[in-house]
Amino acid sequence: MERVNIRLKFFALLRELFGEAERELEIPVGSRVVDVWARLVAEQPVLAGLEGAVQFAVNREYVPADYELKPGDEVVFVPPVSGGEVQPMFEITERPLNPEELIAAVQTPEDGAVVLFLGVVRNNSDGRPTRYLVYEAYPEMAEAKIADIAAEARRRWPVGRIAVKHRVGRLEIGEASVMVAVAAPHRAAAFEACRYVMDRVKAEAPIWKKEVFVDGEVWVGTPELKPAPEGAGR
């Protein structure tokens, strides 16, 4: 496979992590900026925590994740700057969800599309009237898993920042339980990545939902427990 050379420059946190200010790197022809970032994350896994916050620059210009690199390109992965606060990208929270907050966390001047998904508590489950829901999570594991899912989405599609917030605790009818925001230069990738992230979060993140009905309650995915007959176990 034909290969080309590029030059990486490291600043701030990245310079300290790698112990160098510059590095020449040989990559396969056709490699994208995000492919090089994935190599750095494999070398320094702690960088996974910057997914969605780091920006990409080639030859002193910001570029999207799918930018194809050419021989001699100068590549800089721009960590968060001191002038601004980085919003939490992946969070389990008891606070009500604010769509504007998530949009602000992902949108950049390079993006032509921001797709936002809201999961909302409905008043029934398969026709059975619902009073309210209760969500519970293993926050540290859930946030790490969501970060992994978002990183995979960014490898699959040319998207920028991704943010996910999920409520825990008691939620009333009409309240938002989860939000996923994806920014990208173009809408098709943003739509596809948003659906992918939401589907995998629902299937894989350690977050549990209890549906509370007028006549009972059930943790979704497990059998509904019935009261033991009087005198059982004696």
Side-chain angles (χ1 to χ4, degrees):
M1 178 182 292
E2 188 178 354
R3 305 178 75 83
V4 298
N5 289 326
I6 62 170
R7 179 165 296 278
L8 302 182
K9 284 192 171 183
F10 300 115
F11 295 93
L13 172 65
L14 274 68
R15 176 177 47 76
E16 293 179 351
L17 279 174
F18 290 102
E20 55 188 336
E22 295 188 14
R23 177 192 298 183
E24 190 169 291
L25 187 66
E26 188 180 73
I27 59 174
V29 169
S31 293
R32 302 166 300 158
V33 175
V34 72
D35 299 325
V36 177
W37 174 252
R39 287 178 60 170
L40 296 184
V41 173
E43 187 176 335
Q44 292 284 352
V46 68
L47 290 177
L50 288 180
E51 289 285 358
V54 70
Q55 297 187 67
F56 308 134
V58 176
N59 302 328
R60 303 179 186 179
E61 296 287 343
Y62 286 112
V63 299
D66 65 339
Y67 182 90
E68 186 172 317
L69 294 166
K70 301 178 292 296
D73 276 345
E74 179 183 280
V75 180
V76 175
F77 297 99
V78 184
V81 298
S82 60
E85 179 182 355
V86 178
Q87 298 291 336
M89 293 290 109
F90 315 111
E91 183 181 10
I92 305 299
T93 179
E94 295 181 353
R95 296 184 295 109
L97 303 181
N98 181 350
E100 287 77 15
E101 180 183 8
L102 218 65
I103 292 171
V106 300
Q107 189 173 13
T108 73
E110 289 74 38
D111 299 313
V114 175
V115 171
L116 175 70
F117 170 81
L118 272 71
V120 180
V121 179
R122 62 180 183 269
N123 65 3
N124 74 91
S125 178
D126 296 326
R128 189 178 182 184
T130 303
R131 294 176 55 207
Y132 60 90
L133 301 182
V134 177
Y135 282 92
E136 187 173 321
Y138 182 179
E140 297 83 1
M141 185 177 175
E143 290 172 358
K145 183 62 181 177
I146 293 169
D148 289 344
I149 292 168
E152 178 60 26
R154 295 186 73 216
R155 286 190 285 270
R156 287 175 174 240
W157 290 280
V159 299
R161 297 180 179 181
I162 298 174
V164 180
K165 288 197 176 188
H166 204 299
R167 285 280 304 276
V168 291
R170 174 170 169 160
L171 276 73
E172 306 297 335
I173 306 302
E175 288 193 282
S177 59
V178 59
M179 297 191 303
V180 178
V182 178
H186 305 288
R187 66 182 182 275
F191 275 115
E192 292 174 7
C194 187
R195 178 169 184 168
Y196 173 85
V197 170
M198 185 61 245
D199 286 350
R200 284 196 57 192
V201 167
K202 185 174 181 179
E204 301 175 27
I207 302 169
W208 301 275
K209 177 173 71 173
K210 180 164 69 173
E211 296 176 333
V212 180
F213 309 104
V214 173
D215 58 347
E217 58 187 44
V218 61
W219 287 101
V220 174
T222 62
E224 186 168 2
L225 301 179
K226 304 294 185 181
E230 189 172 343
R234 292 181 181 174

